[in-house]
Amino acid sequence: MKILILGAGQVGKTVAQALSHERNDITVIDQNRQTLKAIEDRLDVKTVLGHAAHPDVLLRAGAEDAELMLAVTDSDETNMVACQVAYTLFQTPTRLARVRSSSYQKHENLFAREAVPIDFIINPESLLTTSIMHLIEQSEALQILDFAGGKVQLVAVKAHSGGPLIGHELANLSQRVQDLSTRVVAIFRHDSAIVVDGRTVVEEDDEVFFLAASQDIPRVLSAFGRSSKPTRRIIVAGGGRIAEQLAMRAESNHLVKIIEIDHVRCRELAPSLPRTIILNGEATDAVLLKEEDIENTDIFCAVTNFDETNILSAMLAKRFGVGKTLAIVNHPDYFDLIQGDTVDIAISPSLFTIGAILTHIRRGDVLAVHSLRRGAAEALEIIAHGNSKTSRVVGRSAKNLPLPRGATVGAIVRGNELLFVNSKTIIETNDHIILFMLDKRHIGEVEQLFQVKSLFL
């Protein structure tokens, strides 16, 4: 597939890296020569220097025969205009754009073909807010991702000493969480993936990924060492769009405080957040944190625009005894330095954006894609179409699909029913298959497996 990526920031670079490994023809446009040079040195992609919305720049980049355009610059307006130019002058078939401002998204008709023709809007702030809210509600989880409209969730949890499943085989899980259905799809031990089966023994500090119905998550979490404690007090470092959305969703059931350094922004936030305490100050100010009862805070969320501020403030909060610390981190090299020991959870905005983008460009009827383990692994929800004559999956055992190594069918959603597969589970037309892939380089094989053919022999 020939793809244009507009913008070589963190999102653009990460998307280019993810897609270039899947045999796509990638061209990246940006105005920063040094940034483009760094991408060329690392990835097998083409680059074009120039303004991403200018027709002549798009022409040089090959917009005339591009199949997909991803407008992910830092400017909503540039992304919107670029989509308009691509549609009007080059008839680019599919156009995705990152649009962060809620002012634009309030008007649904704005993005119609006769107005600003964008096929899919990507809003990283909204995706991040949803993820953080999940982690607030289930405080012992490391990651929570939705499938099937939120009916099913993929959860990552660290196995703690004393948990009823520690030192036992996964086959015993059903006995430990009676009356619940769940499936462990992967375990990472010392940063290495383990292909699991019923004989796999869970060890302390394993990072375990499991699937379960949303309402069953708390009880399954308890099997791995700790039950989620009720979260009451939240401090948010930063007063940007993510902080505002987070406080809007949390303030009705939690005591929320926002620390923002810009006093003008503090005044802007106050009217829309009547139940949130807004403090003008620096999130890295230890005296301020102590004054605000940091030691009795349940969760500290560092969501400023600066990685260093997020990391340092979360480190301070953890040192003062906060139950759980989260930090938004854009620079990938920081993850290995801080995740787990320095900060409880590091969250990458670019990975959420990638997941949303991949949902729209995967071949086949893919409803959701989530990038995991800093982009190495992937979980996706794909619909099975066709029949036993036109499909390689419909009418066949879910346990015996010819999947690549490291790919696992975690669950099937059939209507309102959640099925965890066994040797008797047969895939039916319109089943929603939830797959976990340890190595996303094999995604092409999975896409081909689910493609419907006019004649299947």
Side-chain angles (χ1 to χ4, degrees):
M1 181 183 295
K2 184 168 184 178
I3 302 173
L4 299 185
I5 298 176
L6 315 187
Q10 189 58 53
V11 171
K13 286 189 292 187
T14 309
V15 171
Q17 182 174 6
L19 297 180
S20 64
H21 291 320
E22 298 177 17
R23 299 178 183 176
N24 293 297
D25 182 2
I26 308 291
T27 301
V28 180
I29 303 174
D30 198 89
Q31 296 185 87
N32 189 310
R33 191 183 301 274
Q34 291 182 333
T35 300
L36 292 178
K37 179 64 167 59
I39 289 178
E40 283 183 335
D41 291 342
R42 293 182 56 189
L43 303 175
D44 182 19
V45 301
K46 303 170 188 174
T47 63
V48 172
L49 181 67
H51 193 287
H54 288 181
D56 59 326
V57 176
L58 291 172
L59 183 63
R60 283 193 285 119
E64 287 183 313
D65 56 354
E67 300 168 71
L68 172 68
M69 188 176 79
L70 307 175
V72 292
T73 75
D74 291 333
S75 167
D76 288 354
E77 291 74 20
T78 297
N79 296 337
M80 292 162 63
V81 172
C83 287
Q84 179 73 70
V85 172
Y87 175 76
T88 304
L89 298 184
F90 306 112
Q91 293 78 52
T92 305
T94 306
R95 301 158 307 282
L96 280 70
R98 180 170 64 166
V99 179
R100 294 177 292 182
S101 175
S102 58
S103 298
Y104 291 125
Q105 299 195 40
K106 290 177 182 177
H107 306 283
E108 295 181 4
N109 295 333
L110 180 60
F111 300 107
R113 283 185 178 271
E114 61 273 14
V116 182
I118 300 176
D119 295 305
F120 304 106
I121 299 290
I122 306 298
N123 185 341
E125 283 80 5
S126 178
L127 299 171
L128 279 168
T129 302
T130 298
S131 177
I132 294 172
M133 282 303 302
H134 282 330
L135 295 171
I136 288 172
E137 292 161 359
Q138 306 293 345
S139 60
E140 292 305 319
L142 298 175
Q143 191 172 17
I144 302 178
L145 302 168
D146 288 330
F147 292 96
K151 297 176 186 175
V152 186
Q153 291 179 322
L154 176 66
V155 181
V157 60
K158 178 166 282 191
H160 291 287
S161 175
L165 196 61
I166 308 305
H168 295 277
E169 294 182 348
L170 287 176
N172 296 326
L173 180 58
S174 60
Q175 301 173 10
R176 304 287 171 174
V177 286
Q178 295 181 4
D179 303 322
L180 296 181
S181 294
T182 186
R183 171 78 184 277
V184 172
V185 293
I187 291 177
F188 287 84
R189 183 173 296 160
H190 308 303
D191 282 333
S192 296
I194 297 174
V195 179
V196 300
D197 57 30
R199 294 169 296 179
T200 303
V201 175
V202 179
E203 298 182 3
E204 184 179 353
D205 291 331
D206 279 354
E207 186 176 340
V208 182
F209 284 83
F210 68 85
L211 281 163
S214 303
Q215 67 270 18
D216 296 337
I217 298 300
R219 286 184 59 191
V220 181
L221 281 170
S222 66
F224 294 100
R226 295 178 185 174
S227 299
S228 290
K229 299 177 181 178
T231 300
R232 181 64 175 158
R233 300 174 182 273
I234 304 170
I235 290 182
V236 181
R241 285 189 290 259
I242 296 173
E244 184 176 13
Q245 291 182 31
L246 190 60
M248 283 181 176
R249 295 176 60 173
E251 67 176 2
S252 59
N253 298 314
H254 303 82
L255 297 175
V256 183
K257 296 179 181 180
I258 288 178
I259 301 175
E260 166 58 40
I261 194 170
D262 186 344
H263 72 277
V264 175
R265 179 57 178 165
C266 289
R267 292 181 180 276
E268 292 173 350
L269 288 170
S272 61
L273 301 172
R275 299 183 183 181
T276 297
I277 297 173
I278 300 171
L279 306 166
N280 182 213
E282 295 187 15
T284 55
D285 185 341
V287 174
L288 175 60
L289 293 177
K290 288 180 180 179
E291 289 176 350
E292 296 306 322
D293 201 23
I294 186 69
E295 64 271 16
N296 292 316
T297 298
D298 298 308
I299 293 185
F300 183 91
C301 304
V303 296
T304 76
N305 292 325
F306 304 100
D307 285 0
E308 292 77 8
T309 300
N310 293 338
I311 293 169
L312 289 173
S313 62
M315 287 174 61
L316 274 174
K318 188 169 184 178
R319 192 180 74 180
F320 289 143
V322 170
K324 184 173 187 176
T325 57
L326 295 85
I328 287 180
V329 179
N330 289 283
H331 201 295
D333 291 341
Y334 287 159
F335 272 86
D336 292 332
L337 294 175
I338 67 169
Q339 176 88 22
D341 295 326
T342 306
V343 177
D344 292 318
I345 299 177
I347 299 176
S348 168
S350 60
L351 289 183
F352 282 92
T353 305
I354 288 169
I357 290 171
L358 292 178
T359 299
H360 298 297
I361 67 174
R362 288 283 184 235
R363 295 178 176 85
D365 197 350
V366 177
L367 294 186
V369 176
H370 294 294
S371 192
L372 309 167
R373 298 290 299 180
R374 297 181 289 282
E378 194 168 285
L380 65 156
E381 175 185 351
I382 186 168
I383 301 178
H385 290 296
N387 54 45
S388 58
K389 294 182 179 179
T390 61
S391 169
R392 296 174 64 192
V393 299
V394 173
R396 288 156 177 79
S397 168
K399 291 284 285 186
N400 296 320
L401 293 181
L403 293 168
R405 179 174 173 79
T408 305
V409 176
I412 295 175
V413 179
R414 183 175 295 162
N416 291 319
E417 186 180 9
L418 173 61
L419 306 173
F420 289 96
V421 300
N422 56 44
S423 58
K424 298 180 180 179
T425 306
I426 304 299
I427 295 176
E428 298 180 2
T429 301
N430 294 326
D431 277 354
H432 289 226
I433 315 297
I434 300 173
L435 286 159
F436 187 96
M437 299 192 62
L438 291 176
D439 188 345
K440 61 172 291 183
R441 290 177 297 181
H442 296 298
I443 188 67
E445 298 172 48
V446 173
E447 290 174 336
Q448 290 180 4
L449 179 64
F450 278 82
Q451 285 179 357
V452 176
K453 299 181 180 180
S454 57
L455 179 63
F456 174 69
L457 299 177

